[in-house]
Amino acid sequence: MHDVRTVRAPSMLRLAAASLAGTAIEFYDFFVYGTAAALILGPLFFPTFSPVAGTLAAFATFGVGFVARPLGSVLFGHIGDRRGRRPVLVGSLLLTGASTIAVGCVPTYDSIGVVAPVLLLVLRFLQGLGLGGEWGGAVLLTAEHAPAERRALWSSFPQVGPALGFLLANGVVLALSATLSDAQFAQWGWRVPFWFAGVLAAVGLWLRSSLAESPSFLEIDDHARVPLAEVARDHWRLVLLTAGALSIGYAIFYAVTTWSLAYATERLGVSRTVMLTCIMAAVAVKGSLTPLAALLGDRYGRRPMCLAGCTAAVVWMLPTVALLATGQPLLMFVGFLGALLAFVTMFGVIAAYLPELYEPRVRCTGAAVGYNLGGVLGGALTPIVATALAEHGGRVPWGVGVYLTGIALLSLGCFAMLPETRPVTVVVAEPVMD
């Protein structure tokens, strides 16, 4: 038997760093598409549509990635539960990286007509398929190596990866926007961030090449033959509850980072550079506070942190859209920051919470499917629904705020029905010698 407590701190640091770097790279691939969809893909791939319809169509291809993520979690979850967590990390990174590079090579509608958006759709699906496997593999490998009393802290390292990936993706786009003219950016500049994914994928594969397999996986004597069937039969209620619980986190993140970018640049006339700067600053703060939220989760429990974050989201969604509608950079930043602080209060502990809810033999499939179904509910639909609601509202898109508040209430109810999983340390008193 393998004892997770025998893993030395330097080994955990190397493991956590490799997991963080990998998730950062994979989420860079995923986020760079979202930024491009908000800024440029509509007119390039759907030129016959009106500006709003073109943005909706671009967001629809963006949403396909979220639909693919649960399928990726099933595919890679099967591998992770049958063959180990480590092969998932390599396969998912290769698939996501290759499809991202290919997006940067797709000719526009003017060159090949309707084939262009079809290719975009297929590649976005493959991106989502790879990312659906990434989270389960990276988080489980870290969580299953970590000592129980600090599992949330160590597991939070992969959770910092999405923030770094987002900052890297938007930083590249921001640098290009600042140095290229609008014509240059539309002609070739938007492709550069997708090509850069090839360099990042090579780095990620090198970092992950020497990782050890999870001790929890090695301890399993009887592997599930069909993990998905076992999850569907024995854990379906848990999967639905976790998906509903996590939906507000996705809704917040993509309302802030994707929908608000398109809304402010198209409807309010805020410059692309100003919006990217405001959003990136808020995401940077969110990423830096993730380990702190995880430490609190180790101290006070996973469920209380999630309930607190959901409650904050219920309170803050309407102020978020009101502050966005001002078009003032500082006020928009405050709105974004408040929303993302509610987000990180929940998602800082999720990497420990979800694996603890599932037994090891189906953990990779169960945790990843629940996590990625939440992405469909909250991430895929939010930019589309929010764009449609804002189109029929006034200057302040109150309908978007009401929609986000409703999702927050749904998530709050789901978290309330989930159990606490924080390991309890039992102290055994020494016998008193007479």
Side-chain angles (χ1 to χ4, degrees):
M1 297 290 284
H2 300 260
D3 183 1
V4 294
R5 294 177 183 273
T6 63
V7 179
R8 299 177 183 271
S11 299
M12 279 305 308
L13 281 172
R14 285 195 295 272
L15 176 63
S19 294
L20 185 154
T23 54
I25 292 166
E26 292 236 29
F27 276 91
Y28 166 88
D29 295 351
F30 201 72
F31 289 148
V32 77
Y33 189 101
T35 304
L39 295 177
I40 197 67
L41 295 186
L44 290 180
F45 288 88
F46 304 95
T48 60
F49 290 20
S50 69
V52 172
T55 300
L56 281 169
F59 280 153
T61 61
F62 173 76
V64 165
F66 284 97
V67 175
R69 282 174 64 168
L71 299 177
S73 65
V74 171
L75 171 63
F76 287 102
H78 183 91
I79 297 171
D81 285 326
R82 293 283 299 165
R83 304 298 180 188
R85 319 317 191 195
R86 190 172 174 271
V88 172
L89 300 183
V90 176
S92 61
L93 186 59
L94 281 172
L95 179 58
T96 308
S99 54
T100 303
I101 297 167
V103 170
C105 301
V106 175
T108 62
Y109 186 94
D110 287 343
S111 300
I112 59 175
V114 73
V115 177
V118 171
L119 287 174
L120 206 62
L121 198 69
V122 171
L123 292 171
R124 180 59 176 174
F125 181 87
L126 293 175
Q127 264 192 330
L129 205 66
L131 192 63
E134 163 65 24
W135 186 87
V139 164
L140 259 62
L141 201 63
T142 307
E144 291 179 343
H145 272 96
E149 68 276 7
R150 284 289 179 263
R151 184 174 294 131
L153 175 62
W154 287 114
S155 300
S156 72
F157 278 71
Q159 290 296 85
V160 177
L164 292 179
F166 177 84
L167 292 173
L168 183 59
N170 284 269
V172 172
V173 174
L174 183 60
L176 290 167
S177 297
T179 55
L180 300 177
S181 67
D182 287 345
Q184 289 173 320
F185 185 77
Q187 185 176 15
W188 59 268
W190 69 272
R191 299 182 183 274
V192 174
F194 292 96
W195 295 335
F196 185 53
V199 177
L200 296 178
V203 172
L205 289 171
W206 174 73
L207 286 171
R208 291 181 165 184
S209 61
S210 60
L211 293 182
E213 185 52 79
S214 156
S216 292
F217 175 79
L218 295 175
E219 290 174 359
I220 300 172
D221 296 322
D222 182 24
H223 296 283
R225 296 191 64 180
V226 184
L228 179 62
E230 196 165 315
V231 168
R233 184 185 69 240
D234 300 331
H235 305 287
W236 62 270
R237 182 176 179 273
L238 183 56
V239 169
L240 293 179
L241 283 176
T242 53
L246 298 179
S247 60
I248 183 56
Y250 283 101
I252 288 174
F253 194 84
Y254 289 101
V256 168
T257 61
T258 302
W259 167 74
S260 68
L261 179 60
Y263 176 80
T265 53
E266 293 174 5
R267 293 285 298 276
L268 305 180
V270 181
S271 77
R272 186 166 57 208
T273 301
V274 167
M275 280 305 298
L276 287 172
T277 302
C278 289
I279 295 170
M280 288 172 64
V283 171
V285 176
K286 186 271 294 184
S288 67
L289 292 178
T290 300
L292 175 59
L295 274 173
L296 293 174
D298 278 327
R299 175 66 179 85
Y300 298 107
R302 291 49 160 139
R303 186 170 174 269
M305 295 294 291
C306 293
L307 292 174
C310 270
T311 303
V314 171
V315 172
W316 193 247
M317 292 300 95
L318 288 172
T320 297
V321 297
L323 292 168
L324 170 64
T326 67
Q328 299 299 312
L330 181 59
L331 294 178
M332 290 190 297
F333 167 75
V334 170
F336 297 156
L337 181 61
L340 291 178
L341 289 179
F343 167 90
V344 78
T345 303
M346 296 175 279
F347 272 57
V349 299
I350 285 300
Y353 195 15
L354 259 64
E356 289 169 348
L357 287 168
Y358 293 88
E359 58 181 308
R361 58 185 276 117
V362 295
R363 183 174 287 161
C364 196
T365 299
V369 169
Y371 185 84
N372 288 295
L373 279 178
V376 176
L377 296 174
L381 295 178
T382 292
I384 299 170
V385 173
T387 299
L389 290 172
E391 174 66 10
H392 300 291
R395 179 176 177 85
V396 180
W398 293 117
V400 178
V402 172
Y403 170 74
L404 294 173
T405 302
I407 297 178
L409 288 169
L410 169 67
S411 294
L412 184 62
C414 290
F415 273 125
M417 290 187 281
L418 288 172
E420 178 55 72
T421 62
R422 180 172 64 97
V424 177
T425 302
V426 179
V427 178
V428 180
E430 293 291 336
V432 177
M433 302 298 291
D434 292 329

